[in-house]
Amino acid sequence: DAGVIQSPRHEVTEMGQEVTLRCKPISGHDYLFWYRQTMMRGLELLIYFNNNVPIDDSGMPEDRFSAKMPNASFSTLKIQPSEPRDSAVYFCASSFQVGQTQYFGPGTRLLVL
Amino acid sequence: GQQVMQIPQYQHVQEGEDFTTYCNSSTTLSNIQWYKQRPGGHPVFLIQLVKSGEVKKQKRLTFQFGEAKKNSSLHITATQTTDVGTYFCASGAGSYQLTFGKGTKLSVIP
């Protein structure tokens, strides 16, 4: 199994630009999670999906952030417009069950100038 | 989710010294998971504890779940430079997603 796949691995953009992060979960996992990690705030859960349906998006910081999961093998996290304070590492993770082991992707390191 | 607090936030040890990180909760936890994140890497699952008083070992790592299921610890014997990273505990069960602690960042001085 290839594990959770994320792209791009690195993204540098200018303030105001749209950023789209992509994730392919492990096949057969019904749950997909998006996290943001910074030095100041640690690992924060942004949103998670069950069978492609968003279950809890209370961690999404602002309306500038949106996430979709059009099918079981693909999810996107979009930031529009991006701001310097969005600079962070964004992880996608998947699991069989909601409270069980999560498998993290390699992350996308986002820098907004 | 089930809230967990981790201490210490940072730990610097000389290579060969032992290291322990603690995870505490005010409520009874259904389970506890431990993850390790190497510098520049992503969190990787280490182990899950479910039973009261459970102790599991992985080579130099010893994981414990408290009798009351409100705390857990990860102990590393004779640290090595390969142990460097951030160790997270996390808990969740049933309909709740995993809640991660803030992590303990371990530095090992050669």
Side-chain angles (χ1 to χ4, degrees):
Chain A
D1 197 327
V4 176
I5 299 172
Q6 289 188 248
S7 66
R9 295 290 302 275
H10 302 272
E11 178 80 31
V12 180
T13 191
E14 292 187 342
M15 182 174 63
Q17 297 297 306
E18 178 179 295
V19 175
T20 299
L21 311 181
R22 298 172 176 81
C23 175
K24 176 179 168 54
I26 292 173
S27 177
H29 282 189
D30 291 335
Y31 289 85
L32 183 142
F33 306 82
W34 281 102
Y35 290 89
R36 177 173 68 177
Q37 187 176 43
T38 61
M39 289 290 291
M40 291 296 295
R41 301 175 70 90
L43 195 61
E44 301 175 276
L45 176 65
L46 301 177
I47 186 171
Y48 79 94
F49 295 82
N50 176 23
N51 291 324
N52 315 336
V53 176
I55 302 300
D56 184 355
D57 65 353
S58 60
M60 296 286 263
E62 301 171 32
D63 291 345
R64 299 184 296 106
F65 285 68
S66 62
K68 295 181 180 179
M69 192 165 185
N71 58 63
S73 60
F74 183 66
S75 177
T76 61
L77 177 67
K78 186 175 293 186
I79 308 173
Q80 167 63 16
S82 58
E83 296 182 2
R85 59 191 169 129
D86 300 331
S87 298
V89 182
Y90 291 83
F91 289 107
C92 174
S94 68
S95 69
F96 280 113
Q97 296 292 333
V98 65
Q100 298 304 309
T101 303
Q102 291 188 10
Y103 297 86
F104 284 76
T108 295
R109 282 153 181 78
L110 173 64
L111 177 61
V112 183
L113 302 174
Chain B
Q2 300 180 302
Q3 300 297 322
V4 290
M5 302 293 292
Q6 253 186 286
I7 55 171
Q9 190 174 359
Y10 301 96
Q11 185 79 58
H12 305 275
V13 300
Q14 202 75 35
E15 187 174 16
E17 291 183 340
D18 293 355
F19 159 77
T20 305
T21 175
Y22 301 90
C23 188
N24 301 301
S25 173
S26 58
T27 60
T28 301
L29 302 172
S30 303
N31 62 47
I32 196 83
Q33 298 181 19
W34 286 94
Y35 291 75
K36 177 184 179 181
Q37 183 177 18
R38 294 181 185 274
H42 57 278
V44 175
F45 173 78
L46 293 176
I47 209 160
Q48 175 171 282
L49 305 172
V50 179
K51 300 177 183 177
S52 168
E54 189 170 12
V55 178
K56 288 187 177 180
K57 292 190 176 184
Q58 289 180 350
K59 297 183 180 178
R60 293 178 296 104
L61 277 62
T62 302
F63 304 84
Q64 289 189 312
F65 202 6
E67 292 290 340
K69 299 181 75 172
K70 290 186 176 182
N71 57 74
S72 180
S73 65
L74 159 58
H75 180 82
I76 302 178
T77 303
T79 54
Q80 299 175 0
T81 54
T82 53
D83 297 324
V84 164
T86 301
Y87 293 84
F88 295 95
C89 63
S91 187
S95 61
Y96 296 106
Q97 73 274 17
L98 279 183
T99 299
F100 283 81
K102 295 295 186 186
T104 296
K105 187 173 182 179
L106 172 65
S107 299
V108 179
I109 305 165

